[in-house]
Amino acid sequence: MSGDIHRLIGHQYALAMLDGGEERVRSLALTAGTQLTMDAFLRVHDEEPVPAFLHSALCAMSLPTKRPKDDTQPILREDGKYALAINPRPVLQNVEGKPVLKSLGVPYGAYPRVALIYLLSQAVAKQSRDVYLGRNFTEWMRRLGYQTVSYGPRGTANLMREQVDRLLACEWQIRWDGTDAGDNAFAVRDVKISNEYAGSLDKNGAFAREIRMSEAFYSHLVDHAVPLNEVAIRELKGTPTALDLYTYLAYRLPRINADKAQTISWDQLAKHLGNEADSKRFRQTVRETMQLVSAVYPNANVDVSGRKVVLHPSPAPLERKLVGPHLRLVGSTAPQTAPRSSVPGPGKTLVAQVDSKPELLPFPSGSLSYGDRETALRAIGLEKGKPWSVDTMADAFRAGFADIKRHRTDAEWRRVWEAFVVKYAERRAQSDAD
């Protein structure tokens, strides 16, 4: 890409971080970015990448973003190499004490995407087809990054449970016919992700603490897993199109031959993403969504500004020590300050000199009334959480935040704490209003 007008905001944030650190990123966000993209970029930048995985066929071809008109019909996808079918087979259910065969329908939206990435990531990381979910559904959803878990008719827990049941009740057919020399044609047919799952749509149904992945699907997954960054997935978990773009680019970009871009049409991209919107609307959606995706995957060298989508060779999302030359940045952590003269001219690559790695600290254990770190957190609580007690909010944060034991930088704790305080104040205000 040439010129900031076509440079995605994630690219601009990365250069700003190199040039002047976090303050330069915040300044840029005021004029060219948004709070959402800035927060996502900083959180991903501050945390070490956490490996996650998805089957390459599911990176190339996505689930529906919205509920299909007839969700009992199979999903059919193809991209020239892969062919995928997801078939919602009827499952035996107990309705009013009687056994009934009923199709739950195909999975759709963001929830099954996040769940699928988690299940497959655990299987690959642990080299086991037995995937442990958690002691209960709330704990499992917090593992997925959902800090607020509700159980109403449209609550996050019930929406997720419905989609997981749909996901695991389907049979999957994946086919890839090798076309290049040395490729091996293969086919996997009528494969369920899992044959053992105790999920239920009934509110009193048992929660499956462990899912056993089918042997056929697991063995195929191990050979065709695409590495992702779990930290980035958490930032994108609410938007199915953002998840699709991220996983598609994570699969496609590192496989492009060096110094040779690939061009695809917008219609081809729409087929990959399972999107049925009209072309003009789809382009607008992708261009807007790509700003958030670039914030969590600034290495991705993609041009979505023209009549075609141009894909350039790019490092994988987990590779932080080698960021593409289109960003002029090498190094996983930007220096605290960098003089303007340290930025090289066009066509040159800069090796970032890292002064020191930010110290990782626990969240304060006592009152937030004493100490420099505590005072900064208290100021956020007073401003964003009024009129509620800061120490009461801190106790709720320690009790309810899933990753409270993990050490973070001061800047990261302040961002996480601020997000919690805002939500806490909103919930308390709503509760009082009811």
Side-chain angles (χ1 to χ4, degrees):
M1 299 179 187
S2 60
D4 283 351
I5 188 171
H6 290 161
R7 190 185 295 278
L8 294 167
I9 193 63
H11 299 180
Q12 297 183 54
Y13 285 153
L15 290 171
M17 179 64 78
L18 173 65
D19 197 34
E22 184 175 320
E23 289 307 312
R24 182 64 64 87
V25 173
R26 292 183 178 278
S27 176
L28 173 63
L30 291 175
T31 57
T34 63
Q35 184 76 33
L36 179 65
T37 57
M38 182 194 73
D39 287 345
F41 173 83
L42 291 175
R43 279 192 285 263
V44 172
H45 180 272
D46 282 351
E47 296 191 43
E48 284 300 312
V50 178
F53 300 93
L54 186 62
H55 193 291
S56 56
L58 299 173
C59 292
M61 299 170 289
S62 303
L63 298 170
T65 55
K66 298 180 180 179
R67 185 171 188 164
K69 293 180 180 179
D70 184 354
D71 60 358
T72 64
Q73 293 299 308
I75 301 170
L76 300 175
R77 298 273 190 267
E78 61 86 20
D79 76 338
K81 175 184 288 188
Y82 276 118
L84 169 71
I86 304 176
N87 191 9
R89 298 279 186 156
V91 296
L92 191 62
Q93 295 181 301
N94 193 324
V95 179
E96 297 180 353
K98 296 181 179 181
V100 175
L101 272 175
K102 181 181 178 183
S103 173
L104 303 179
V106 296
Y108 61 89
Y111 288 114
R113 287 163 165 80
V114 175
L116 191 58
I117 292 171
Y118 176 86
L119 295 174
L120 272 53
S121 299
Q122 290 293 303
V124 173
K126 298 181 182 301
Q127 292 292 290
S128 171
R129 60 193 185 99
D130 293 323
V131 178
Y132 176 73
L133 301 184
R135 292 173 298 178
N136 53 57
F137 209 82
T138 298
E139 179 181 289
W140 183 58
M141 288 199 65
R142 285 182 174 158
R143 284 172 181 249
L144 300 179
Y146 297 93
Q147 299 306 317
T148 302
V149 183
S150 56
Y151 282 86
R154 301 296 298 170
T156 55
N158 285 334
L159 293 175
M160 173 64 83
R161 185 175 344 192
E162 176 188 350
Q163 292 300 324
V164 170
D165 282 345
R166 287 169 174 253
L167 187 72
L168 296 175
C170 289
E171 289 182 339
W172 303 64
Q173 297 180 36
I174 303 170
R175 185 175 180 85
W176 170 39
D177 294 316
T179 55
D180 299 327
D183 278 357
N184 294 317
F186 66 77
V188 177
R189 301 185 179 184
D190 295 330
V191 175
K192 272 193 175 185
I193 293 179
S194 173
N195 292 324
E196 300 179 32
Y197 171 63
S200 172
L201 289 177
D202 190 307
K203 63 181 180 180
N204 298 318
F207 173 68
R209 296 186 180 183
E210 191 171 271
I211 287 176
R212 170 159 289 184
M213 198 165 290
S214 69
E215 188 170 357
F217 189 89
Y218 170 72
S219 62
H220 198 259
L221 165 67
V222 170
D223 293 333
H224 299 90
V226 174
L228 311 169
N229 184 357
E230 181 185 303
V231 183
I233 297 299
R234 291 202 301 264
E235 296 301 319
L236 305 177
K237 67 180 183 297
T239 310
T241 300
L243 290 166
D244 290 346
L245 277 170
Y246 174 81
T247 54
Y248 174 70
L249 296 175
Y251 161 68
R252 187 75 180 269
L253 297 182
R255 289 165 173 77
I256 299 175
N257 293 331
D259 302 323
K260 185 178 180 182
Q262 290 185 359
T263 301
I264 63 173
S265 69
W266 283 97
D267 287 342
Q268 285 175 307
L269 182 61
K271 288 180 180 178
H272 287 306
L273 304 186
N275 195 298
E276 299 177 356
D278 65 88
S279 180
K280 185 176 180 180
R281 181 179 177 185
F282 175 71
R283 293 184 191 192
Q284 180 181 352
T285 298
V286 168
R287 285 167 177 154
E288 292 173 353
T289 306
M290 193 60 218
Q291 299 300 326
L292 176 58
V293 173
S294 74
V296 302
Y297 187 8
N299 309 27
N301 192 1
V302 182
D303 188 348
V304 293
S305 62
R307 295 182 178 181
K308 299 278 188 177
V309 178
V310 185
L311 309 174
H312 298 272
S314 305
L318 290 178
E319 296 180 27
R320 296 182 69 183
K321 291 185 178 180
L322 178 61
V323 179
H326 58 290
L327 294 183
R328 310 195 312 267
L329 170 63
V330 176
S332 60
T333 306
Q336 296 300 313
T337 58
R340 184 70 187 176
S341 59
S342 69
V343 180
K348 296 184 180 180
T349 301
L350 172 69
V351 177
Q353 299 298 318
V354 181
D355 295 334
S356 61
K357 192 170 183 177
E359 185 179 6
L360 300 180
L361 302 165
F363 189 78
S365 57
S367 171
L368 299 185
S369 300
Y370 310 99
D372 293 339
R373 290 183 63 217
E374 290 80 357
T375 301
L377 293 169
R378 183 176 183 81
I380 293 173
L382 289 172
E383 178 186 355
K384 305 290 185 178
K386 58 185 179 184
W388 315 110
S389 164
V390 175
D391 284 340
T392 299
M393 288 189 289
D395 289 340
F397 181 63
R398 296 183 188 105
F401 185 56
D403 290 336
I404 191 67
K405 293 184 179 180
R406 184 158 62 84
H407 290 199
R408 302 167 181 264
T409 64
D410 251 350
E412 175 65 9
W413 276 125
R414 287 196 293 270
R415 284 193 291 276
V416 173
W417 165 246
E418 180 176 335
F420 173 85
V421 166
V422 170
K423 290 292 185 182
Y424 181 95
E426 290 176 355
R427 290 197 301 270
R428 289 294 301 270
Q430 183 62 44
S431 177
D432 286 1
D434 294 342

